[in-house]
Amino acid sequence: MDSVTQAFVAHRNLLFTVAYEMLGSAADAEDVLQETWLRWVGVDLDTVRDQRAYLVRIATRQALSHLRTLGRRKESYVGPWLPEPLLTVPDVAEDVELAESVSMAMLLVLETLAPTERAVFVLREVFGLGYDEIAEAVDRSPTAVRQIAHRARAHVAARRPRGVASAADARRTVEAFRRAVETGDLQSLLDILAPDVVLLTDGGGVVQAALAPVVGADQVARVLGRIAAAVSLQLTQVNGDPALIVRLGGEIDTVMAMRIDDGLVTGLYAVRNPEKLSRLERETALRR
């Protein structure tokens, strides 16, 4: 490979991760990679001091452009919008900070940030870029970036999961959830669900899904009880966390991720939109 291609390939997984964390969409993240490559091939490498930072800057600018377009698409989306789930390789779970940053729960928290706030938070808190580097990526002054970063940190801290479970504890909770649903053990299921648990189902207007959040342990357990007999549940690793792939007739029907606070399931995220399930037959490598 020539040096331009070699540099891009070396950082490809990192660039995908940056774009995915900003967008919550693997399809849009792949588009960002394509656009980043097209701009990268026109760069004179002799003028680049830090190839990683330069590539991240290009990808961030492209992702910001996509984020604004994606925001308009979400306004007309049918029912709740959830991030596109990724079947992740085992080493993602071993990097605790990376696993938390790409979890479905955290991606939904990031959805509550403005586009520039989201970019600054991701680049600073997840990838550790300096304020000067981030300033170049988002076209703001370093002073402004510091202020944005402070505001975004406070916003996320108020909304991120409390008492984050260890990987082993999370897996035990998800496994107990699976057994309770499969066996129809209502009491065991209620013991795992927080009283104010929220179920979000994303069908995208393509398949049947609740158009509004289902709130409360009794209501959520009732919904889950109706589907238990017809499906099989497979424990897997999605977005760095234990999750369930729901199969109907042997085919992937739904991916169910969870938010776990202090040992109880407080959020259930059921992605059913077929357009968001295409990457679940292969693992995706994410990098910091």
Side-chain angles (χ1 to χ4, degrees):
M1 287 185 285
D2 59 69
S3 57
V4 172
T5 305
Q6 191 171 22
F8 183 83
V9 171
H11 297 295
R12 187 190 185 285
N13 290 342
L14 165 69
L15 299 175
F16 177 87
T17 307
V18 169
Y20 176 71
E21 291 207 21
M22 285 183 60
L23 300 169
S25 165
D28 285 294
E30 292 288 0
D31 288 343
V32 166
L33 284 186
Q34 291 294 324
E35 293 159 7
T36 301
W37 165 251
L38 291 174
R39 284 158 178 76
W40 177 243
V41 294
V43 173
D44 179 0
L45 292 191
D46 291 336
T47 67
V48 177
R49 295 193 316 276
D50 184 334
Q51 294 179 349
R52 175 182 184 271
Y54 199 101
L55 280 162
V56 168
R57 183 162 72 244
I58 298 173
T60 299
R61 289 176 174 172
Q62 300 309 310
L64 275 171
S65 177
H66 275 261
L67 192 56
R68 295 181 179 104
T69 301
L70 191 59
R72 290 192 291 272
R73 293 210 307 263
K74 289 173 188 172
E75 291 175 2
S76 58
Y77 199 79
V78 178
W81 182 94
L82 290 173
E84 183 177 350
L86 301 177
L87 193 66
T88 45
V89 295
D91 62 351
V92 170
E94 295 167 7
D95 184 335
V96 176
E97 290 183 355
L98 177 60
E100 184 193 10
S101 72
V102 299
S103 69
M104 296 288 277
M106 179 56 75
L107 289 175
L108 284 173
V109 171
L110 295 182
E111 282 291 311
T112 64
L113 292 171
T116 301
E117 288 178 331
R118 185 166 182 170
V120 170
F121 181 87
V122 167
L123 295 179
R124 180 63 182 170
E125 300 301 314
V126 182
F127 298 98
L129 268 65
Y131 292 113
D132 290 345
E133 292 176 291
I134 299 172
E136 292 185 22
V138 299
D139 292 323
R140 300 290 180 93
S141 70
T143 300
V145 166
R146 285 179 181 273
Q147 293 171 344
I148 293 169
H150 176 76
R151 188 166 63 243
R153 274 196 300 271
H155 182 95
V156 171
R159 292 163 177 79
R160 76 193 320 156
R162 310 176 303 274
V164 177
S166 68
D169 287 343
R171 189 176 182 86
R172 280 193 289 270
T173 299
V174 175
E175 178 61 30
F177 176 92
R178 183 187 66 82
R179 287 197 303 271
V181 172
E182 287 189 333
T183 60
D185 187 340
L186 179 60
Q187 187 55 55
S188 293
L189 184 58
L190 291 173
D191 289 342
I192 298 166
L193 299 176
D196 57 351
V197 61
V198 177
L199 166 64
L200 299 176
T201 55
D202 179 345
V206 180
V207 296
Q208 185 176 6
L211 298 180
V214 180
V215 182
D218 289 339
Q219 294 295 325
V220 170
R222 189 172 295 115
V223 171
L224 294 172
R226 287 200 296 265
I227 67 169
V231 302
S232 64
L233 304 177
Q234 171 193 347
L235 186 64
T236 189
Q237 199 82 9
V238 169
N239 288 57
D241 282 335
L244 296 170
I245 290 180
V246 181
R247 293 183 182 272
L248 182 62
E251 300 295 326
I252 295 177
D253 177 81
T254 306
V255 168
M256 189 172 292
M258 302 179 197
R259 170 171 169 157
I260 301 171
D261 291 274
D262 299 323
L264 294 177
V265 177
T266 58
L268 278 168
Y269 313 120
V271 181
R272 304 202 64 224
N273 185 344
E275 294 180 0
K276 294 185 178 183
L277 302 178
S278 62
R279 296 180 68 97
L280 290 166
E281 299 294 353
R282 66 186 189 282
E283 292 180 334
T284 298
L286 301 174
R287 291 287 181 273
R288 282 200 301 154

